[in-house]
């Protein structure tokens, strides 16, 4: 924490003299503190400081006088995973949310604040009347390094299966969403539906999913993309990304898992940006609409743009409708900016990216 404070003070004192800086003094200082913290925090420290995703959900419900609802879903070998509901449980459409955090960190309170506002706004009609069209389900997947790939994919697949066969919802009423590592998991799930992973139960759909909405998906593990020149503008730490991806893949240093592992490579399920166009052929038969939001100033921009190129090429090869896939770059925005925004000054004012996301959802939910 001392290092983060020193990083913030240094950025504050040097702000007037630097040409490379975030969009505001506040953001520049905040992002520096977050970068430093993410690069230095150990797994032991994280586990000590941060409650689990399930514990945060219960605490959030208590603070807001909401009745918690959790489904415990069987995965494999007797294991279960928790799925937490936000909103009216009988809503026709479900947004399955896969949270970020490099697969190693639990969800933060800011996510629940953002998702609760999203649910409220999606369920408010044009005349201000209350509706019940969408509910969010947050997956409390197991974290790395204790759990490695494909554990999280197995859990996400089990929840989709649960939503279809246990709650009786049509796949067309299920929207998969996620940010950062959660976006990685959402893309792994999409790959799994197209090409079943040999160690994960298949997801069988009789029609495509309603949609997929991603915030700054971690589409590739390389930190060599040119966009990593943004490392002084973004909240993400390249060192943390390398360490976390190695932990997630079970490739961390066996002597010191906190050591920099150097370049890390995954597979077709974990690095969407590396897959040839042929991998994505037929994707329009498993998901109706896709919206990907990312920041122009974030380090992951490079892998996201590479993924966009290959994904759209695969869609074209199978003669899919290009208008159903949107990649939205937020000008001068950082990693997962729509979620960060709600935790910062001026959170009451929605950004153009936040508005675009809500409009995308409302158009899909009303169709």
């Amino acid at each position: 924490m001392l290092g983060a404070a020193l990083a913030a003070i240094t950025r504050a004192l040097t702000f007037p003299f630097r040409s490379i800086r975030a969009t505001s003094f506040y953001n520049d200082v905040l992002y520096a503190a977050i970068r430093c913290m993410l690069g230095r925090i150990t797994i032991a420290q994280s586990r000590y400081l941060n409650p689990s995703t399930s514990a945060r959900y219960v605490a959030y419900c208590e603070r807001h006088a909401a009745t918690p609802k959790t489904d415990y879903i069987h995965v494999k070998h007797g294991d279960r995973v928790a799925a937490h509901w936000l909103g009216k449980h009988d809503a026709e459409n479900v947004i399955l949310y896969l949270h970020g955090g490099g697969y190693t960190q639990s969800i933060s309170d800011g996510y629940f604040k953002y998702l609760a506002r999203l649910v409220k706004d999606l369920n408010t009609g044009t005349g201000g009347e209350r509706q019940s069209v969408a509910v969010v389900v947050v997956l409390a997947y197991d974290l790395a390094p204790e759990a490695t790939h494909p554990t999280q994919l197995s859990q996400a697949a089990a929840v989709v299966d649960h939503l279809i066969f246990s709650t009786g919802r049509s796949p067309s009423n299920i929207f998969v969403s996620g940010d950062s590592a959660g976006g990685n998991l959402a893309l792994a799930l999409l790959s799994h539906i197209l090409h079943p992973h040999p160690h994960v139960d298949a997801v069988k759909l009789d029609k495509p999913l309603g949609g997929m909405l991603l915030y700054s998906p971690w589409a590739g593990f390389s930190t060599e993309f040119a966009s990593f020149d943004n490392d002084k503008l973004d909240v993400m730490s390249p060192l943390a990304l390398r360490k976390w991806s190695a932990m997630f893949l079970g490739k961390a240093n066996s002597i010191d898992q906190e050591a920099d592992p150097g370049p890390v490579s995954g597979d077709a399920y974990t690095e969407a940006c590396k897959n040839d166009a042929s991998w994505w052929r037929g994707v329009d038969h498993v998901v109706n609409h896709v919206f990907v939001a990312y920041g122009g100033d974030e380090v992951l921009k490079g892998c996201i743009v590479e993924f966009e190129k290959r994904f759209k090429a695969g869609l074209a090869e199978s003669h899919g409708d290009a208008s159903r896939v949107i990649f939205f770059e937020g000008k001068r925005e950082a990693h997962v900016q729509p979620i960060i925004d709600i935790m910062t000054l001026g959170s009451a004012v929605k950004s153009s990216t936040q508005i675009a996301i809500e409009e995308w959802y409302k158009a899909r939910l009303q169709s």
Side-chain angles (χ1 to χ4, degrees):
M1 297 300 290
L2 177 60
L6 290 174
I9 292 170
T10 299
R11 294 295 286 188
L13 293 175
T14 61
F15 183 83
F17 312 106
R18 285 183 285 103
S19 59
I20 299 176
R21 55 194 186 186
T23 51
S24 70
F25 174 82
Y26 177 84
N27 285 348
D28 195 75
V29 173
L30 175 66
Y31 296 172
I34 295 174
R35 281 195 305 272
C36 183
M37 180 188 67
L38 294 180
R40 296 188 180 190
I41 193 168
T42 66
I43 294 301
Q45 291 168 339
S46 175
R47 297 293 183 269
Y48 177 77
L49 293 171
N50 297 316
S52 68
T53 294
S54 293
R56 283 195 186 275
Y57 170 71
V58 172
Y60 177 85
C61 290
E62 289 177 350
R63 286 197 306 274
H64 294 272
T67 303
K69 172 177 168 53
T70 297
D71 292 344
Y72 294 94
I73 300 160
H74 174 76
V75 185
K76 268 188 173 183
H77 313 301
D79 293 335
R80 298 192 307 167
V81 66
H84 305 298
W85 296 69
L86 284 172
K88 292 186 177 296
H89 314 142
D90 60 352
E92 183 178 9
N93 300 286
V94 175
I95 300 170
L96 171 59
Y97 197 82
L98 311 172
H99 71 84
Y103 282 112
T104 66
Q105 311 297 309
S106 60
I107 201 169
S108 68
D109 289 336
Y111 281 91
F112 287 120
K113 184 177 180 182
Y114 173 81
L115 292 171
R117 186 176 75 172
L118 179 65
V119 167
K120 178 182 177 182
D121 291 346
L122 293 181
N123 288 306
T124 300
T126 55
E129 70 278 8
R130 300 296 293 157
Q131 305 176 112
S132 182
V133 296
V135 61
V136 167
V137 174
V138 177
L139 173 61
Y141 59 79
D142 291 346
L143 301 178
E146 297 89 345
T148 57
H149 173 70
T151 300
Q152 297 83 359
L153 178 55
S154 289
Q155 293 172 337
V159 175
V160 172
D161 191 73
H162 171 79
L163 292 174
I164 296 171
F165 296 103
S166 296
T167 75
R169 287 178 170 85
S170 166
S172 61
N173 294 120
I174 297 172
F175 293 75
V176 178
S177 182
D179 71 284
S180 197
N184 180 289
L185 181 53
L187 291 174
L189 181 62
L190 192 58
S191 287
H192 173 59
I193 297 172
L194 278 168
H195 312 278
H197 190 289
H199 302 301
V200 177
D201 289 343
V203 175
K204 299 177 181 179
L205 305 178
D206 60 0
K207 58 186 65 176
L209 296 170
M212 179 169 285
L213 189 141
L214 309 179
Y215 308 74
S216 301
W218 196 10
F221 297 141
S222 172
T223 57
E224 298 301 316
F225 286 99
S227 56
F228 275 84
D229 290 344
N230 291 333
D231 63 343
K232 294 298 186 288
L233 298 172
D234 199 10
V235 296
M236 285 308 307
S237 159
L239 172 59
L241 289 171
R242 290 193 296 272
K243 291 195 300 183
W244 293 345
S245 57
M247 291 175 184
F248 166 61
L249 296 171
K251 296 182 177 181
N253 187 298
S254 59
I255 298 174
D256 179 10
Q257 68 176 357
E258 304 291 349
D260 188 344
V264 179
S265 295
D267 58 16
Y269 299 92
T270 58
E271 291 202 90
C273 76
K274 289 185 176 180
N275 293 328
D276 293 334
S278 60
W279 180 266
W280 301 111
R281 288 176 192 159
V283 69
D284 52 312
H285 297 301
V286 297
V287 63
N288 279 326
H289 300 273
V290 176
F291 187 105
V292 180
Y294 64 96
D297 280 356
E298 72 167 293
V299 295
L300 293 186
K301 176 181 174 179
C303 68
I304 295 169
V305 171
E306 182 64 22
F307 164 65
E308 176 184 5
K309 179 179 68 176
R310 297 176 182 229
F311 186 81
K312 287 183 174 178
L315 184 68
E317 287 184 5
S318 55
H319 307 291
D321 185 351
S323 69
R324 291 173 176 259
V325 175
I326 299 171
F327 280 73
F328 186 98
E329 179 180 334
K331 185 179 180 181
R332 293 300 318 272
E333 289 190 351
H335 186 62
V336 298
Q337 189 80 57
I339 299 169
I340 289 177
D341 280 346
I342 204 166
M343 297 180 271
T344 60
L345 296 175
S347 60
V349 179
K350 294 180 181 178
S351 67
S352 59
T353 305
Q354 289 175 324
I355 293 170
I357 287 168
E358 289 180 19
E359 289 178 345
W360 182 89
Y361 267 126
K362 287 181 177 180
R364 308 287 90 72
L365 297 175
Q366 294 170 2
S367 60

